[in-house]
Amino acid sequence: MDVAPFELERFFAEHEHGNLMLAESGIRPLPASEFDLDPGELGYTIPTAGDPDLRARVAERYDRPAAEVLFTCGTQEANFLVFASLLEPSDHVVVVTPTYQSLYALPEALADVTRVELSGPDWSLDPDRVAEAMRPETALVVINNPNNPTGRYHDADTVRAVYETAADHGAYLLGDEVYRLLAADPLPPVASLGEYGVSTTGLSKAFGLAGLRFGWVAGDADLVAGAARWKDYTTIAPPKVSQHVARQVFDREAVLLERNREHAAENRALLRSFLDEHDCSWYEGVGVNAFPEVPAGFESGLEFCEALVEAEGVVLAPGGAFGHPDRFRVGFGGPTDELVAGLDRLGRFLDGR
Ligand SMILES: Cc1ncc(COP(=O)(O)O)c(C=O)c1O
């Protein structure tokens, strides 16, 4: 099995150290001191699928029993387990793009993939395009809603129509919903739509807990059992400290989310006035990612991002990593003082050309 290099991770690895990151895709990280970090003994989490009471609590979100939720090391592992357990080389997958690279690179490593590529300015999804891409051997349709990098949040009718298309073909619809709780009014999750709905998510982006590496997959019993079979070979069990903190996060979920949504709104307003002032065209969606067009005078997002990091030590993400070389991604969920400092430097860079 051959998998493509993860372009964004490689770009970050080269430039992240010692520079100001305006390219993080989640909300600013919470300090560990907000939580009790002592779960008692540090043996394996037993059962390895995760604490049944906590899984039952998560499963309620999807109207499913605890057995239909599996705790994982982040959303990344949740997605990996779904792909690895579900896909055969003879299968076909439909992936709505642009999106986070693992959502198409892993299916492409395992099966045959059709990308349904959306375009700006508003990145809207016509469900008929998914219907047209379906084949008899389609086993899975993948969406990321709200989307990284565009911020587009497809509405309930659109997601329902895509779900019906997948279900009519006997294919699962996987919704990567890691940004969902940043929406003021989150849509019903995909795993609550019916037997073919699968949701993956975690605490990294909406809660600012990427270092916790805590996520889950929710779906029907067969799918979750298949994912669990693979998990025995990846991480075995969710980290015990992470599960202990996750319980506290669920206890305080409403307060944490309100705080984070306010923070996102404040930063969004700062970014909006900056982009307006600099005539940068962008789509204002949900979450803390924006995907503007590269300012005039640069050949590509890569040239722009490299020149900026060289001149001002500010890291943005080149759009080529998402298949759109004419754009760049800015993550505005970080600490407000860092966003202000980063935008100041970016402004100086643009004005000084
Ligand atoms: C759409 C999407 N899914 C998954 C991930 C990885 O999330 P986690 O930290 O929960 O593994 C990311 C990270 O940027 C993402 O954007």
Side-chain angles (χ1 to χ4, degrees), residues 46-63:
I46 306 287
T48 56
D51 176 69
D53 291 340
L54 202 61
R55 275 189 289 137
R57 212 162 139 189
V58 169
E60 273 172 28
R61 297 163 194 242
Y62 308 100
D63 221 1

Side-chain angles (χ1 to χ4, degrees), residues 6 11 28 31 59 216 261 293 322 328:
F6 206 118
F11 183 82
R28 48 103 188 78
W216 61 87
R261 286 173 188 156
E293 283 175 4
F322 299 93
F328 65 96

Side-chain angles (χ1 to χ4, degrees), residues 269-283:
L270 291 170
L271 181 72
R272 185 190 302 121
S273 46
F274 179 91
L275 292 175
D276 285 353
E277 208 179 297
H278 288 85
D279 270 338
C280 275
S281 141
W282 70 304
Y283 170 79

Side-chain angles (χ1 to χ4, degrees), residues 25 73-76 79 100 103 144 148 176 178-179 202 204-205 213:
S25 56
C73 289
T75 315
Q76 186 84 306
N79 288 329
Y100 187 58
L103 295 176
N144 166 216
N148 170 13
D176 176 325
V178 73
Y179 299 97
S204 293
K205 308 295 177 182
R213 309 309 304 133

